Amino acid sequence: MIKFCVRLVQRWLPEPFIFAIILTLVAAALAMPICHQTPLEVIDHWGGGVWNLLAFAMQMALVLVCGSALASAPVVKKGISLLAASPKTPVAAIALVTAISAVACWLNWGFGLIVGVIFAKEIARKMPSIDYRLLIASAYSGFVVWHAGLSGSIPLTMATPGEALVKATNGVLTAPVPVSQTILDYHNIIIVLVVMVAIVVTNALMYPKKDVVTVDPALLEEEVPAPKPQGESLTPAQRMEHSRLLSWIVAGVGFTYLIYHLGWAGGSFDLGSVIMLFLFLGVLLHGTPLAYVRAFTSASKGAAGIILQFPFYAGIMGIITGVGASGISFGTVLSNACISVSNATTYPLLTFLCAAVLNMFVPSGGGHWAIQAPIMFAAGADLGVDPGLTGTAIAWGDAWTNLIQPFWAIPALAIAKLDAKDIMGFCLVDLVVTGIVICGGLLFWAM
């Protein structure tokens, strides 16, 4: 099964940018007959959506660059190196990378996505005989739990009071749904734990007994930092560039804001907070402003895929959510199809599967919320399904097919210097295994 999945992906999965183009064409081809939209309407929806993810694209690029720059700080590299030396066999290394990635992604997806792959690369340096493709796939596989974790955008949106919640759900949710009924519900925690165990075991069992594909040493090479100028002939500009005091002041201001924002102001540890944490820790740990600039510049080379592909996925979201003269959108049609064959027990499962299909075209929690919230919560209320379960099912569907959707893998692949086809064959096996666990867990929750 593993060999079949790897061969299938190697043969048929194109470069992620080509994949985005194909998804654009498929979404357009489906929207016209299903939603009775004209080609001009579809093109208008696509063009109107292209720039809707600019802010998020910038956040994703900064997660990648700031996270990579932080990991290249001497003290962080030393800590990662010590931890990477603990596993003594390739199978143990695969299991450890999977577990660390999954726990980190459950805590915060931006943190886990970067930390997992950076840790995996350090293990590859310590153990060059390990299968590098499976190692990076294991680091990415932990991403499957993030929407069911503490940074899941849909559960956190449901827990946020205000008019926006009432409007998004067409008046179904007039009060916020606390995270105790979604993320921290014991049903969800059981599903998360079983999924984590399942991917650790699955990834370990997938380790090839022969035909191991090791890492190209060139992929692990790091730039050697330029030496600091010595002597008393330093210019004032050079003294500022190598001033630790400036780095301390900037980092101090940043940490003061984060403490105030997360403590006294009651803010959430969201993606922006993760980026700021990465940024100011990096400035502090690199020691001098110039050292951080050089690390940041080196890390920014991997952000090209994000900059290129995000506008296309925003355009696809525009097609999926666009409403033409017919008054319906493709996302609405898909959600209604799920509702039409559901009962109180099967509704969460079918909601999950509907969200999983939709995620291939709209890999964004915000996009899912905009499309499904007005429909799925109303239908769930009619069937007597707990809204916490409905929202959690949407969140799991949004996360599950990320295992084979290259969109979220772009930052990890940029750091690992691999193509999507190198890891997605292994992720396809993880998709099958975790799908069985999640479906069973949602059915158990609904009973």
Side-chain angles (χ1 to χ4, degrees):
M1 179 181 176
I2 297 165
K3 290 180 179 178
F4 170 76
C5 290
V6 171
R7 284 198 301 267
L8 179 69
V9 170
Q10 287 281 344
R11 183 174 178 83
W12 289 103
L13 183 66
E15 204 277 338
F17 177 56
I18 308 301
F19 187 75
I21 293 175
I22 292 173
L23 283 179
T24 301
L25 298 176
V26 170
L30 292 174
M32 285 186 282
I34 292 177
C35 303
H36 309 292
Q37 296 180 7
T38 67
L40 186 59
E41 284 180 319
V42 172
I43 291 174
D44 181 55
H45 295 152
W46 176 82
V50 161
W51 307 121
N52 287 343
L53 289 179
L54 280 181
F56 186 59
M58 185 63 176
Q59 286 179 314
M60 285 296 293
L62 286 173
V63 163
L64 167 63
V65 177
C66 293
S68 300
L70 173 61
S72 67
V75 64
V76 177
K77 289 172 63 176
K78 184 177 180 179
I80 293 176
S81 179
L82 289 173
L83 183 60
S86 57
K88 303 305 180 184
T89 66
V91 172
I94 294 295
L96 181 61
V97 165
T98 305
I100 288 178
S101 171
V103 172
C105 284
W106 188 83
L107 293 172
N108 184 278
W109 70 266
F111 174 72
L113 183 63
I114 300 302
V115 165
V117 71
I118 289 174
F119 179 55
K121 283 189 69 175
E122 188 59 34
I123 282 186
R125 292 189 180 97
K126 299 287 186 182
M127 197 179 294
S129 62
I130 198 169
D131 192 295
Y132 190 59
R133 304 168 307 164
L134 178 57
L135 183 66
I136 300 303
S138 300
Y140 180 65
S141 64
F143 198 61
V144 72
V145 302
W146 82 271
H147 259 305
L150 299 181
S151 62
S153 57
I154 291 174
L156 293 180
T157 300
M158 293 170 60
T160 304
E163 185 62 28
L165 179 65
V166 179
K167 183 178 179 181
T169 59
N170 280 338
V172 176
L173 296 183
T174 56
V177 179
V179 293
S180 61
Q181 297 178 23
T182 54
I183 298 171
L184 300 181
D185 187 282
Y186 79 93
H187 295 94
N188 185 62
I189 292 175
I190 290 173
I191 298 173
V192 168
L193 291 176
V194 177
V195 166
M196 286 183 177
V197 172
I199 58 175
V200 168
V201 173
T202 300
N203 290 340
L205 291 175
M206 279 196 289
Y207 196 84
K209 294 180 173 60
K210 57 181 180 179
D211 300 325
V212 173
V213 179
T214 57
V215 62
D216 180 353
L219 300 182
L220 303 178
E221 290 181 357
E222 297 181 342
E223 294 184 10
V224 179
K228 177 182 177 180
Q230 301 294 327
E232 299 180 358
S233 60
L234 293 178
T235 65
Q238 289 176 319
R239 293 184 185 279
M240 286 187 286
E241 291 170 349
H242 294 279
S243 170
R244 291 184 177 273
L245 180 60
L246 284 177
S247 292
W248 295 343
I249 292 173
V250 171
V253 171
F255 292 138
T256 300
Y257 169 77
L258 279 175
I259 293 171
Y260 169 76
H261 173 69
L262 299 175
W264 286 276
S268 61
F269 191 63
D270 54 13
L271 182 56
S273 299
V274 171
I275 294 170
M276 291 187 73
L277 181 62
F278 284 173
L279 173 62
F280 295 117
L281 271 177
V283 170
L284 179 66
L285 297 180
H286 274 280
T288 68
L290 185 59
Y292 187 72
V293 167
R294 287 170 175 165
F296 194 94
T297 301
S298 177
S300 65
K301 298 174 183 177
I306 295 173
I307 298 170
L308 174 62
Q309 293 178 46
F310 267 59
F312 284 85
Y313 279 104
I316 295 172
M317 189 184 302
I319 295 174
I320 298 296
T321 60
V323 178
S326 61
I328 56 175
S329 69
F330 180 72
T332 300
V333 171
L334 185 61
S335 298
N336 286 333
C338 166
I339 294 169
S340 65
V341 294
S342 298
N343 57 42
T345 302
T346 62
Y347 182 73
L349 172 61
L350 292 173
T351 298
F352 159 73
L353 295 175
C354 174
V357 173
L358 191 60
N359 185 61
M360 295 300 296
F361 297 93
V362 186
S364 163
H368 277 253
W369 180 256
I371 296 169
Q372 293 192 282
I375 304 166
M376 307 309 284
F377 282 99
D382 290 341
L383 292 171
V385 178
D386 180 77
L389 175 53
T390 299
T392 306
I394 297 173
W396 271 113
D398 188 15
W400 180 51
T401 43
N402 284 334
L403 286 170
I404 56 170
Q405 180 17 300
F407 179 82
W408 290 107
I410 294 171
L413 292 171
I415 295 172
K417 300 180 182 178
L418 290 180
D419 294 326
K421 66 179 68 176
D422 294 321
I423 70 168
M424 288 297 168
F426 299 107
C427 291
L428 182 57
V429 179
D430 285 327
L431 181 85
V432 175
V433 173
T434 56
I436 294 171
V437 173
I438 298 168
C439 288
L442 291 175
L443 283 175
F444 171 72
W445 191 342
M447 290 179 179

